[in-house]
Amino acid sequence: AQSVAQPEDQVNVAEGNPLTVKCTYSVSGNPYLFWYVQYPNRGLQFLLKYITGDNLVKGSYGFEAEFNKSQTSFHLKKPSALVSDSALYFCADNSGTYKYIFGTGTRLKVLA
Amino acid sequence: DAGITQSPRYKITETGRQVTLMCHQTWSHSYMFWYRQDLGHGLRLIYYSAAADITDKGEVPDGYVVSRSKTENFPLTLESATRSQTSVYFCASTGGGPYTGELFFGEGSRLTVL
């Protein structure tokens, strides 16, 4: 069965420090992985995706994600966090189908 | 360009009443989706549509009905609302192939069932 896990409900990081938001996946075929961000009272916004190719994917707002097939992970990273990065982050997989499966979300708090 | 809009943004109703949440997109995207967002569950797919007059169930379809007579509209109806349907509902669309295209989300409709 297709599933996505985000093991941390919340991540706190100091402004200027690197951040990592974790995601692991379990799919029977090839994963098609996405990261989205949600600001308060807003819809989700696309950050980046991995379909095939380079394991390091670059996206919007300075974010990047590393696909690791052996660890079945797709962690979101940023070298230097901003207070404005504080939001709810979702990992998702659709395995090449219409059915996007989302993780439960990780709240990122960047402390000034 | 308006993109994807949902209405109403906020709705309070009573148990047993019928409620319809509207979703309209201006891109002529083929694929549209309805999700509900609940604490601890993330987003769960209710229904999706690949084109006008083509709809299919997602993970949690019970108690919901959808239709898609026009490409741009994808209303979600709760035929007899229950308290467990209190949630934030998001409509989304994508124009690319579903396996590569990112989803574009509306701002959400917050529904409270008393």
Side-chain angles (χ1 to χ4, degrees), chain B residues 74-86:
Chain B
F74 191 39
L76 175 74
T77 297
L78 290 67
E79 293 191 303
S80 178
T82 65
R83 289 200 180 94
S84 65
Q85 292 177 311
T86 292

mmCIF file with all atom_site columns, all heavy atoms in Angstrom, chain B residues 74-86:
data_model
loop_
_atom_site.group_PDB
_atom_site.id
_atom_site.type_symbol
_atom_site.label_atom_id
_atom_site.label_alt_id
_atom_site.label_comp_id
_atom_site.label_asym_id
_atom_site.label_entity_id
_atom_site.label_seq_id
_atom_site.pdbx_PDB_ins_code
_atom_site.Cartn_x
_atom_site.Cartn_y
_atom_site.Cartn_z
_atom_site.occupancy
_atom_site.B_iso_or_equiv
_atom_site.pdbx_formal_charge
_atom_site.auth_seq_id
_atom_site.auth_comp_id
_atom_site.auth_asym_id
_atom_site.auth_atom_id
_atom_site.pdbx_PDB_model_num
ATOM 1   N N   . PHE B 1 74 ? -16.468 21.994 -9.677 1.00 0.00 ? 74 PHE B N   1
ATOM 2   C CA  . PHE B 1 74 ? -16.442 20.674 -9.040 1.00 0.00 ? 74 PHE B CA  1
ATOM 3   C C   . PHE B 1 74 ? -17.049 20.812 -7.638 1.00 0.00 ? 74 PHE B C   1
ATOM 4   O O   . PHE B 1 74 ? -16.344 20.850 -6.632 1.00 0.00 ? 74 PHE B O   1
ATOM 5   C CB  . PHE B 1 74 ? -15.004 20.162 -8.969 1.00 0.00 ? 74 PHE B CB  1
ATOM 6   C CG  . PHE B 1 74 ? -14.855 18.718 -8.572 1.00 0.00 ? 74 PHE B CG  1
ATOM 7   C CD1 . PHE B 1 74 ? -15.728 17.748 -9.020 1.00 0.00 ? 74 PHE B CD1 1
ATOM 8   C CD2 . PHE B 1 74 ? -13.797 18.322 -7.759 1.00 0.00 ? 74 PHE B CD2 1
ATOM 9   C CE1 . PHE B 1 74 ? -15.573 16.416 -8.668 1.00 0.00 ? 74 PHE B CE1 1
ATOM 10  C CE2 . PHE B 1 74 ? -13.623 16.993 -7.403 1.00 0.00 ? 74 PHE B CE2 1
ATOM 11  C CZ  . PHE B 1 74 ? -14.509 16.045 -7.854 1.00 0.00 ? 74 PHE B CZ  1
ATOM 12  N N   . PRO B 1 75 ? -18.368 20.895 -7.531 1.00 0.00 ? 75 PRO B N   1
ATOM 13  C CA  . PRO B 1 75 ? -18.998 21.063 -6.220 1.00 0.00 ? 75 PRO B CA  1
ATOM 14  C C   . PRO B 1 75 ? -18.998 19.781 -5.394 1.00 0.00 ? 75 PRO B C   1
ATOM 15  O O   . PRO B 1 75 ? -19.096 18.676 -5.935 1.00 0.00 ? 75 PRO B O   1
ATOM 16  C CB  . PRO B 1 75 ? -20.435 21.478 -6.579 1.00 0.00 ? 75 PRO B CB  1
ATOM 17  C CG  . PRO B 1 75 ? -20.661 20.903 -7.948 1.00 0.00 ? 75 PRO B CG  1
ATOM 18  C CD  . PRO B 1 75 ? -19.329 20.933 -8.640 1.00 0.00 ? 75 PRO B CD  1
ATOM 19  N N   . LEU B 1 76 ? -18.900 19.971 -4.089 1.00 0.00 ? 76 LEU B N   1
ATOM 20  C CA  . LEU B 1 76 ? -18.941 18.865 -3.132 1.00 0.00 ? 76 LEU B CA  1
ATOM 21  C C   . LEU B 1 76 ? -20.169 19.047 -2.253 1.00 0.00 ? 76 LEU B C   1
ATOM 22  O O   . LEU B 1 76 ? -20.336 20.109 -1.646 1.00 0.00 ? 76 LEU B O   1
ATOM 23  C CB  . LEU B 1 76 ? -17.674 18.877 -2.261 1.00 0.00 ? 76 LEU B CB  1
ATOM 24  C CG  . LEU B 1 76 ? -17.604 17.856 -1.134 1.00 0.00 ? 76 LEU B CG  1
ATOM 25  C CD1 . LEU B 1 76 ? -17.339 16.458 -1.710 1.00 0.00 ? 76 LEU B CD1 1
ATOM 26  C CD2 . LEU B 1 76 ? -16.497 18.224 -0.139 1.00 0.00 ? 76 LEU B CD2 1
ATOM 27  N N   . THR B 1 77 ? -21.003 18.034 -2.182 1.00 0.00 ? 77 THR B N   1
ATOM 28  C CA  . THR B 1 77 ? -22.231 18.115 -1.391 1.00 0.00 ? 77 THR B CA  1
ATOM 29  C C   . THR B 1 77 ? -22.215 17.118 -0.243 1.00 0.00 ? 77 THR B C   1
ATOM 30  O O   . THR B 1 77 ? -21.891 15.944 -0.437 1.00 0.00 ? 77 THR B O   1
ATOM 31  C CB  . THR B 1 77 ? -23.471 17.862 -2.276 1.00 0.00 ? 77 THR B CB  1
ATOM 32  O OG1 . THR B 1 77 ? -23.550 18.883 -3.275 1.00 0.00 ? 77 THR B OG1 1
ATOM 33  C CG2 . THR B 1 77 ? -24.747 17.877 -1.441 1.00 0.00 ? 77 THR B CG2 1
ATOM 34  N N   . LEU B 1 78 ? -22.534 17.622 0.930  1.00 0.00 ? 78 LEU B N   1
ATOM 35  C CA  . LEU B 1 78 ? -22.776 16.772 2.088  1.00 0.00 ? 78 LEU B CA  1
ATOM 36  C C   . LEU B 1 78 ? -24.286 16.645 2.179  1.00 0.00 ? 78 LEU B C   1
ATOM 37  O O   . LEU B 1 78 ? -24.979 17.624 2.456  1.00 0.00 ? 78 LEU B O   1
ATOM 38  C CB  . LEU B 1 78 ? -22.225 17.398 3.356  1.00 0.00 ? 78 LEU B CB  1
ATOM 39  C CG  . LEU B 1 78 ? -20.709 17.479 3.533  1.00 0.00 ? 78 LEU B CG  1
ATOM 40  C CD1 . LEU B 1 78 ? -20.057 18.415 2.541  1.00 0.00 ? 78 LEU B CD1 1
ATOM 41  C CD2 . LEU B 1 78 ? -20.362 17.894 4.957  1.00 0.00 ? 78 LEU B CD2 1
ATOM 42  N N   . GLU B 1 79 ? -24.812 15.470 1.890  1.00 0.00 ? 79 GLU B N   1
ATOM 43  C CA  . GLU B 1 79 ? -26.259 15.323 1.759  1.00 0.00 ? 79 GLU B CA  1
ATOM 44  C C   . GLU B 1 79 ? -26.978 15.455 3.097  1.00 0.00 ? 79 GLU B C   1
ATOM 45  O O   . GLU B 1 79 ? -28.076 16.000 3.161  1.00 0.00 ? 79 GLU B O   1
ATOM 46  C CB  . GLU B 1 79 ? -26.588 13.989 1.104  1.00 0.00 ? 79 GLU B CB  1
ATOM 47  C CG  . GLU B 1 79 ? -26.116 13.941 -0.356 1.00 0.00 ? 79 GLU B CG  1
ATOM 48  C CD  . GLU B 1 79 ? -26.651 12.750 -1.097 1.00 0.00 ? 79 GLU B CD  1
ATOM 49  O OE1 . GLU B 1 79 ? -26.407 11.616 -0.627 1.00 0.00 ? 79 GLU B OE1 1
ATOM 50  O OE2 . GLU B 1 79 ? -27.295 12.936 -2.156 1.00 0.00 ? 79 GLU B OE2 1
ATOM 51  N N   . SER B 1 80 ? -26.368 14.982 4.152  1.00 0.00 ? 80 SER B N   1
ATOM 52  C CA  . SER B 1 80 ? -26.935 15.085 5.494  1.00 0.00 ? 80 SER B CA  1
ATOM 53  C C   . SER B 1 80 ? -25.763 15.215 6.458  1.00 0.00 ? 80 SER B C   1
ATOM 54  O O   . SER B 1 80 ? -25.181 14.221 6.876  1.00 0.00 ? 80 SER B O   1
ATOM 55  C CB  . SER B 1 80 ? -27.769 13.848 5.815  1.00 0.00 ? 80 SER B CB  1
ATOM 56  O OG  . SER B 1 80 ? -28.286 13.928 7.127  1.00 0.00 ? 80 SER B OG  1
ATOM 57  N N   . ALA B 1 81 ? -25.408 16.451 6.773  1.00 0.00 ? 81 ALA B N   1
ATOM 58  C CA  . ALA B 1 81 ? -24.168 16.713 7.494  1.00 0.00 ? 81 ALA B CA  1
ATOM 59  C C   . ALA B 1 81 ? -24.152 16.062 8.878  1.00 0.00 ? 81 ALA B C   1
ATOM 60  O O   . ALA B 1 81 ? -25.173 16.020 9.584  1.00 0.00 ? 81 ALA B O   1
ATOM 61  C CB  . ALA B 1 81 ? -23.955 18.216 7.620  1.00 0.00 ? 81 ALA B CB  1
ATOM 62  N N   . THR B 1 82 ? -22.983 15.574 9.251  1.00 0.00 ? 82 THR B N   1
ATOM 63  C CA  . THR B 1 82 ? -22.767 15.009 10.581 1.00 0.00 ? 82 THR B CA  1
ATOM 64  C C   . THR B 1 82 ? -21.618 15.748 11.257 1.00 0.00 ? 82 THR B C   1
ATOM 65  O O   . THR B 1 82 ? -20.796 16.391 10.582 1.00 0.00 ? 82 THR B O   1
ATOM 66  C CB  . THR B 1 82 ? -22.403 13.522 10.505 1.00 0.00 ? 82 THR B CB  1
ATOM 67  O OG1 . THR B 1 82 ? -21.135 13.387 9.837  1.00 0.00 ? 82 THR B OG1 1
ATOM 68  C CG2 . THR B 1 82 ? -23.461 12.726 9.746  1.00 0.00 ? 82 THR B CG2 1
ATOM 69  N N   . ARG B 1 83 ? -21.548 15.656 12.578 1.00 0.00 ? 83 ARG B N   1
ATOM 70  C CA  . ARG B 1 83 ? -20.496 16.373 13.312 1.00 0.00 ? 83 ARG B CA  1
ATOM 71  C C   . ARG B 1 83 ? -19.108 15.918 12.875 1.00 0.00 ? 83 ARG B C   1
ATOM 72  O O   . ARG B 1 83 ? -18.149 16.703 12.875 1.00 0.00 ? 83 ARG B O   1
ATOM 73  C CB  . ARG B 1 83 ? -20.671 16.172 14.812 1.00 0.00 ? 83 ARG B CB  1
ATOM 74  C CG  . ARG B 1 83 ? -21.863 16.894 15.373 1.00 0.00 ? 83 ARG B CG  1
ATOM 75  C CD  . ARG B 1 83 ? -21.751 17.087 16.887 1.00 0.00 ? 83 ARG B CD  1
ATOM 76  N NE  . ARG B 1 83 ? -22.912 17.794 17.400 1.00 0.00 ? 83 ARG B NE  1
ATOM 77  C CZ  . ARG B 1 83 ? -23.988 17.194 17.886 1.00 0.00 ? 83 ARG B CZ  1
ATOM 78  N NH1 . ARG B 1 83 ? -24.043 15.884 17.953 1.00 0.00 ? 83 ARG B NH1 1
ATOM 79  N NH2 . ARG B 1 83 ? -24.998 17.916 18.334 1.00 0.00 ? 83 ARG B NH2 1
ATOM 80  N N   . SER B 1 84 ? -18.974 14.666 12.487 1.00 0.00 ? 84 SER B N   1
ATOM 81  C CA  . SER B 1 84 ? -17.666 14.156 12.069 1.00 0.00 ? 84 SER B CA  1
ATOM 82  C C   . SER B 1 84 ? -17.194 14.769 10.748 1.00 0.00 ? 84 SER B C   1
ATOM 83  O O   . SER B 1 84 ? -16.030 14.598 10.354 1.00 0.00 ? 84 SER B O   1
ATOM 84  C CB  . SER B 1 84 ? -17.718 12.632 11.916 1.00 0.00 ? 84 SER B CB  1
ATOM 85  O OG  . SER B 1 84 ? -18.591 12.262 10.872 1.00 0.00 ? 84 SER B OG  1
ATOM 86  N N   . GLN B 1 85 ? -18.090 15.484 10.073 1.00 0.00 ? 85 GLN B N   1
ATOM 87  C CA  . GLN B 1 85 ? -17.710 16.165 8.845  1.00 0.00 ? 85 GLN B CA  1
ATOM 88  C C   . GLN B 1 85 ? -17.244 17.594 9.079  1.00 0.00 ? 85 GLN B C   1
ATOM 89  O O   . GLN B 1 85 ? -16.938 18.317 8.122  1.00 0.00 ? 85 GLN B O   1
ATOM 90  C CB  . GLN B 1 85 ? -18.866 16.129 7.842  1.00 0.00 ? 85 GLN B CB  1
ATOM 91  C CG  . GLN B 1 85 ? -19.145 14.716 7.339  1.00 0.00 ? 85 GLN B CG  1
ATOM 92  C CD  . GLN B 1 85 ? -20.332 14.646 6.410  1.00 0.00 ? 85 GLN B CD  1
ATOM 93  O OE1 . GLN B 1 85 ? -21.415 15.173 6.695  1.00 0.00 ? 85 GLN B OE1 1
ATOM 94  N NE2 . GLN B 1 85 ? -20.145 13.989 5.268  1.00 0.00 ? 85 GLN B NE2 1
ATOM 95  N N   . THR B 1 86 ? -17.184 17.995 10.337 1.00 0.00 ? 86 THR B N   1
ATOM 96  C CA  . THR B 1 86 ? -16.551 19.276 10.672 1.00 0.00 ? 86 THR B CA  1
ATOM 97  C C   . THR B 1 86 ? -15.080 19.183 10.285 1.00 0.00 ? 86 THR B C   1
ATOM 98  O O   . THR B 1 86 ? -14.360 18.296 10.748 1.00 0.00 ? 86 THR B O   1
ATOM 99  C CB  . THR B 1 86 ? -16.687 19.564 12.174 1.00 0.00 ? 86 THR B CB  1
ATOM 100 O OG1 . THR B 1 86 ? -18.060 19.802 12.472 1.00 0.00 ? 86 THR B OG1 1
ATOM 101 C CG2 . THR B 1 86 ? -15.850 20.764 12.585 1.00 0.00 ? 86 THR B CG2 1
#
